[in-house]
């Protein structure tokens, strides 16, 4: 087309899309009404891209997500820039692409070699961190190994307390022998994925160290402020109560016994051990109150200086210091960011606590640590805060519980009702997360928290802080006594709630799709303000029904083939090896949806077991299934093994089985399990097999570079 013709036609313009009148207009009116809520979906879209990277198998699919997001954004911009819907779609595409690309970059950036296989080796390196675990009589060391040792750059070693040499502090160079192994993948589908966590944490091996431990060069003069504070708190309060007291101050939970920790989890009080919003809020509030009271003693300062602004600034510094002191874990960082934004809003005269503040905190955490999205800590922390703020942003709820002129009895009743409603909403928000990650959830958490949260906030933490301050002049004992009584009461509440009839809801491994539906529906309900939000109840209901309808696995096999749990005809899970450790027993019970001690398979009526082999028959859906397994490391004669396999539907072994070993349906020996990882099988008319390792998965920790000492 010539120049004159181009001038005649004028500039080229893309047409604004002609949406169907009623639908397009309604969507635009709805988005206009919700314009103040649109920013809240920024972390959700980033999180969707991150979740897609973890859920999808390989680089081709990750690239498709990124390109698809960019294509959606480009298409939305090309169709037109008027109206909120197209702009919202453009931003959604860009943010999803950003989330997927960000976590992919992060996973490649932290790439480091891992140990190829278990080995007893000599470890030489520099101690990066020391974590005392008094409840287990252990000390955990993170050691940056010397170059040239053939070991991963960072290893984690547990030492018995009696084997820890004098003068072992961070920065010391040490030499010791240890049995190391690669970071363990999930034992069975749905179990904890330490392999993935260790990858992002830089750990290449973990294991147990042996005496003697030689300190080749001294480290820092002491173990640091955090370690000193932890030791001081535990010297003032003994046992698990002292462990909880230390967790509130420094975030160190190593002195809490497993029995008490389990009671806190079962009662819904485990969140008190993770330094997050409750603890940071208490520190900020106490600091502001103390600074205001002290500065107000001077009439000159009170009249001439903006004391609330000064107090807010000091409280912000206290929040940052507390976050660094407690190890700067994700919940604490999120809470610190939120606290700083609240304080900034107060200083500027703006509304302090809003969902925008929560969303901003989530964006910061996801940009810095995108892998945190997949952990229960991030999910539970943000779910609880979002649920509380969304609840109290509702005008009707705010009207019910706002301050008013009334008697003390009505005020007390209103406060208790407020706490009960808040606890109930938080429990509803956290239950799917707890069931997905831990396969269990306490049913009395809202009732237990009514007492536990005020007890921790207004008794334990203030008196513990006073004890630390007055210990400087030798007068802290009375304050520690009160804090100790409060902590013992907290543990009593935890054990009472945990042991109450029907205190625990158990659920086997939940399908990822069911969990995603519940999360998406919950966010839809919480983040919108118009009646459209009620549509989110549908995916929540569908996800819940899907999760509850998922049958319990009939057979669980660990990735090493050593352990299996089989559901007998009476519904009880039975364990193959009598000497399985507590971790294996708990993992198999939780993922099997059982809250009980697992009996031995050899003791079951339908089992025929020797010291080396075991055969058991169960009936499902009108069919008999015969499961065979090896029970020891001793060699079985070839012909006998072949006959044994031929009589079974499924054979499980922790060794390579001969080619002639052909069961009727499925062979799970070392070669097969090396490819599949742990396995969960549901019998019936249409048997299903779920594996830890998905076919074609190419995440970096699954294809990591491996090293062996001396190579």
């Amino acid at each position: 087309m010539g120049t004159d013709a181009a001038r005649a036609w004028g500039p080229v313009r893309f047409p604004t899309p002609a949406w169907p009148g009623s639908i397009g207009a309604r969507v635009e009116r709805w988005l206009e009404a919700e314009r103040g809520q649109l920013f809240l979906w920024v972390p959700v879209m980033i999180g969707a891209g991150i979740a897609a990277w973890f859920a999808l198998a390989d680089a081709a699919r990750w690239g498709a997500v990124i390109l698809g997001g960019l294509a959606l954004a480009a298409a939305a911009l090309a169709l037109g820039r008027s109206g909120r819907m197209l702009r919202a779609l453009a931003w959604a595409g860009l943010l999803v692409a950003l989330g997927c690309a960000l976590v992919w970059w992060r996973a490649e950036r932290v790439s480091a070699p891992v140990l190829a296989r278990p080995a007893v080796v000599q470890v030489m390196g520099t101690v990066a961190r020391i974590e005392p675990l008094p409840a287990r009589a252990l000390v955990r060391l993170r050691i940056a190994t010397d170059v040239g040792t053939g070991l991963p750059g960072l290893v984690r070693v547990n030492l018995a307390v009696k084997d820890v040499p004098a003068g072992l502090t961070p920065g010391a160079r040490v030499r010791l022998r240890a049995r190391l192994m690669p970071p363990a993948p999930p034992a069975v589908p749905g179990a904890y994925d330490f392999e993935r966590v260790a990858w992002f944490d830089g750990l290449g091996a973990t294991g147990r160290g042996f005496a003697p431990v030689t300190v080749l060069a001294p480290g820092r003069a002491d173990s640091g402020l955090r370690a000193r504070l932890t030791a001081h708190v535990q010297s003032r309060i003994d046992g698990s109560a002292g462990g909880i007291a230390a967790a509130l101050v420094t975030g160190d939970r190593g002195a809490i016994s497993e029995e008490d920790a389990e009671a806190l989890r079962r009662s819904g009080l485990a969140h008190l051990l993770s330094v997050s919003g409750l603890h940071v809020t208490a520190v900020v509030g106490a600091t502001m109150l103390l600074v205001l009271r002290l500065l107000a003693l001077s009439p000159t300062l009170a009249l001439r200086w903006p004391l609330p602004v000064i107090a807010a600034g000091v409280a912000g510094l206290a929040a940052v210091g507390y976050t660094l002191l407690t190890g700067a874990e994700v919940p604490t960082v999120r809470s610190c960011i939120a606290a700083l934004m609240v304080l900034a809003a107060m200083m500027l005269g703006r509304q302090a606590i809003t969902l925008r503040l929560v969303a901003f905190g989530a964006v910061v955490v996801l940009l810095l640590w995108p892998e945190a999205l997949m952990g229960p800590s991030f999910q539970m922390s943000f779910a609880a805060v979002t649920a509380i703020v969304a609840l109290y942003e509702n005008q009707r709820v705010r009207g019910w519980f706002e301050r008013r002129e009334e008697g003390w009895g009505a005020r007390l009743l209103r406060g208790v009702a407020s706490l009960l409603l808040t606890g109930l909403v938080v429990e509803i928000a956290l239950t799917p997360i707890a069931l997905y990650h831990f396969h269990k959830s306490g049913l009395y958490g809202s009732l237990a928290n009514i007492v536990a949260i005020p007890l921790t906030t207004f008794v334990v933490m203030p008196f513990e802080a006073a004890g630390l301050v007055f210990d400087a002049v030798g007068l802290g004992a009375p304050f520690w006594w009160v804090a100790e009584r409060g902590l013992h009461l907290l543990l009593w509440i935890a054990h009472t709630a945990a042991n109450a009839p029907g205190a625990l809801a158990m659920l086997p491994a939940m399908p990822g799709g069911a969990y995603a539906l519940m999360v998406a529906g919950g966010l839809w309900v919480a983040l919108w303000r118009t009646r459209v939000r009620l549509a989110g109840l549908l995916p929540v209901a569908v996800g819940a029904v899907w999760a509850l309808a998922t049958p319990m696995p009939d057979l669980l096999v660990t990735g090493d083939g050593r352990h299996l749990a089989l559901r007998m005809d009476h519904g009880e899970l039975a364990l193959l090896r009598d000497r399985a450790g507590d971790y294996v027993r708990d993992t198999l019970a939780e993922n099997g949806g059982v809250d009980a001690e697992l009996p031995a398979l050899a003791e079951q009526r339908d089992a025929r077991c020797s010291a080396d082999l075991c055969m058991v028959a169960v009936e499902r859906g009108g069919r008999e299934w015969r499961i065979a397994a090896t029970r020891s490391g001793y060699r079985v004669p070839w012909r006998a093994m072949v006959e044994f396999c031929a009589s079974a539907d499924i054979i499980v072994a922790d060794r390579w089985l001969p080619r002639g070993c052909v069961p009727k349906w499925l062979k799970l020996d070392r070669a097969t399990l090396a490819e599949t990882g742990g396995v969960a099988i549901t019998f019936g008319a249409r048997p299903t097999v779920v594996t830890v390792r998905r076919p074609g998965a190419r995440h970096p920790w699954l294809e990591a570079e491996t090293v062996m000492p001396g190579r």
Side-chain angles (χ1 to χ4, degrees):
M1 181 180 297
T3 304
D4 295 338
R7 289 173 180 170
W9 281 96
V12 176
R13 299 182 184 274
F14 290 103
T16 301
W19 303 105
S22 59
I23 297 177
R26 287 181 181 180
V27 171
E28 289 295 341
R29 284 197 299 269
W30 167 58
L31 290 176
E32 181 63 25
E34 297 277 15
R35 62 186 181 278
Q37 306 299 112
L38 294 177
F39 174 75
L40 306 181
W41 291 90
V42 170
V44 177
M45 292 298 104
I46 296 175
I50 295 171
W53 186 85
F54 282 101
L56 299 175
D58 54 30
R61 291 172 175 83
W62 307 333
V65 170
I66 296 172
L67 294 176
L70 295 177
L72 175 63
L77 292 175
L79 286 173
R81 299 180 183 179
S82 61
R84 293 189 182 274
M85 182 167 61
L86 291 175
R87 281 181 286 169
L89 287 174
W91 276 109
L94 287 173
L95 292 170
V96 168
L98 172 64
C100 188
L102 185 65
V103 70
W104 190 355
W105 170 81
R106 168 80 172 157
E108 296 294 342
R109 181 173 178 268
V110 299
S111 175
V114 300
L115 195 66
R117 59 180 180 271
V120 177
V121 299
Q122 179 170 276
V123 179
M124 291 183 61
T126 303
V127 177
R129 186 190 303 176
I130 300 177
E131 303 173 56
L133 305 174
R136 297 163 56 187
L138 295 173
V139 172
R140 178 170 290 166
L141 306 180
R142 290 199 177 203
I143 302 175
T145 60
D146 291 346
V147 176
T149 59
L151 292 174
L154 185 65
V155 302
R156 194 181 74 186
V157 177
N158 289 340
L159 286 176
V161 171
K162 61 182 179 61
D163 295 334
V164 177
L168 183 64
T169 60
R173 291 197 69 252
V174 296
R175 181 179 63 223
L176 70 154
R177 290 191 65 77
R179 185 180 187 276
L180 297 180
M181 59 186 62
V188 292
Y192 178 61
D193 192 350
F194 178 66
E195 184 180 34
R196 185 189 71 204
V197 173
W199 176 263
F200 286 100
D201 208 20
L203 283 176
T206 63
R208 183 70 181 259
F210 312 115
V213 180
T214 305
V215 178
L216 302 175
R220 297 199 295 265
D222 57 51
S223 297
L225 177 60
R226 186 185 185 195
R228 293 201 307 272
L229 275 177
T230 298
H232 180 76
V233 171
Q234 291 171 0
S235 72
R236 306 298 285 177
I237 302 178
D238 295 329
S240 288
I244 297 174
L248 296 176
V249 175
T250 66
D252 190 327
R253 291 168 276 184
I256 304 172
S257 71
E258 183 55 37
E259 179 185 0
D260 290 330
E262 179 64 17
L264 288 163
R265 286 192 291 268
R266 292 168 65 100
S267 61
L269 301 180
H271 66 93
L272 297 176
L273 304 181
S274 177
V275 178
S276 55
L278 172 67
H279 312 78
V280 174
T281 300
V283 169
V284 168
T287 303
M288 282 197 68
L289 180 62
L290 181 62
V291 171
L292 275 174
R293 295 295 185 186
L294 291 176
L295 294 180
L297 294 176
S298 168
T300 302
L301 291 177
L303 293 173
R304 297 184 179 181
W305 293 86
L307 299 191
V309 174
I310 297 173
V314 176
L317 294 175
V320 173
Y322 185 55
T323 299
L324 296 175
L325 177 65
T326 55
E329 296 184 354
V330 169
T332 321
V333 172
R334 189 272 306 163
S335 301
C336 181
I337 293 170
L340 293 176
M341 292 191 65
V342 168
L343 294 170
M346 292 173 60
M347 295 167 72
L348 296 173
R350 303 286 296 274
Q351 183 179 351
I353 303 176
T354 65
L355 282 175
R356 281 176 167 263
L357 178 149
V358 179
F360 181 81
V363 169
V364 172
V365 172
L366 291 177
L367 291 179
L368 295 176
W369 304 284
E371 71 276 9
L373 175 78
M374 304 304 292
S377 175
F378 176 94
Q379 295 174 18
M380 299 184 84
S381 177
F382 277 97
V385 174
T386 300
I388 292 171
V389 177
L391 175 67
Y392 284 92
E393 281 192 351
N394 183 280
Q395 292 183 356
R396 183 174 298 178
V397 173
R398 192 185 307 166
W400 288 344
F401 297 116
E402 66 183 3
R403 291 178 176 272
R404 62 193 69 186
E405 293 294 332
E406 58 187 355
W408 67 268
R411 188 180 303 114
L412 178 62
L413 183 62
R414 193 178 300 278
V416 171
S418 174
L419 281 174
L420 183 60
L421 178 62
T422 303
L424 182 62
V425 169
V426 170
E427 283 298 311
I428 293 172
L430 297 187
T431 294
I433 304 174
L435 290 175
Y436 179 75
H437 288 283
F438 309 120
H439 316 294
K440 56 188 175 183
S441 177
L443 297 181
Y444 302 139
S446 56
L447 296 175
N449 276 289
I450 288 178
V451 180
I453 290 178
L455 176 65
T456 304
T457 306
F458 301 115
V459 178
V460 174
M461 291 187 69
F463 277 88
E464 194 174 344
L468 288 171
V469 172
F470 281 92
D471 272 351
V473 292
L475 299 176
F479 300 99
W480 288 113
W481 184 87
V482 175
E484 185 174 10
R485 300 283 77 76
L487 289 166
H488 283 300
L489 176 58
L490 178 66
L491 286 171
W492 178 84
I493 293 170
H495 282 280
T496 301
N499 296 325
L504 201 65
M506 297 290 298
L507 194 72
M510 183 189 302
Y515 182 58
L517 281 174
M518 286 189 280
V519 170
L523 288 169
W524 191 270
V525 171
L527 301 187
W528 296 127
R529 283 292 167 264
T530 60
R531 290 185 179 181
V532 175
R533 71 182 187 276
L534 298 179
L537 296 176
L538 179 60
V540 170
V542 172
V545 171
W546 184 1
L548 293 173
T550 301
M552 294 184 178
D554 293 302
L555 177 64
L556 291 168
V557 180
T558 59
D560 57 6
R562 286 180 52 81
H563 304 283
L564 69 79
L566 177 65
R567 195 174 304 279
M568 307 306 295
D569 291 336
H570 48 76
E572 189 175 41
L573 277 180
L575 198 62
L576 174 66
R577 297 181 185 249
D578 306 343
R579 300 179 64 182
D582 291 340
Y583 175 77
V584 171
R585 289 177 176 273
D586 291 344
T587 298
L588 293 175
E590 290 171 3
N591 286 272
V594 173
D595 181 31
E597 186 70 22
L598 302 186
L601 188 61
E603 299 172 356
Q604 303 304 303
R605 182 183 60 187
D606 299 322
R608 295 184 292 108
C609 298
S610 66
D612 301 319
L613 300 172
C614 197
M615 175 76 76
V616 60
V618 295
E619 186 174 340
R620 294 290 187 277
R623 173 185 170 179
E624 183 181 74
W625 291 85
R626 295 172 63 83
I627 294 91
T630 59
R631 300 186 70 207
S632 74
Y634 292 102
R635 183 177 178 274
V636 179
W638 182 87
R639 187 174 299 278
M641 193 71 210
V642 169
E643 294 177 356
F644 184 66
C645 293
S647 65
D649 294 292
I650 301 172
I651 178 73
V652 179
D654 60 348
R655 65 189 75 173
W656 284 279
L657 294 175
R659 288 186 178 181
C661 174
V662 182
K664 298 176 183 177
W665 190 59
L666 185 62
K667 179 179 178 179
L668 295 175
D669 64 350
R670 180 178 293 184
T672 303
L673 291 170
E675 298 179 1
T676 65
V679 175
I681 302 175
T682 303
F683 301 142
R686 299 182 63 181
T688 60
V689 179
V690 180
T691 61
V692 166
R693 296 195 186 279
R694 293 168 296 162
R698 295 291 184 269
H699 288 94
W701 55 90
L702 302 178
E703 298 186 323
E705 176 189 352
T706 58
V707 295
M708 274 300 294
R711 296 191 178 184

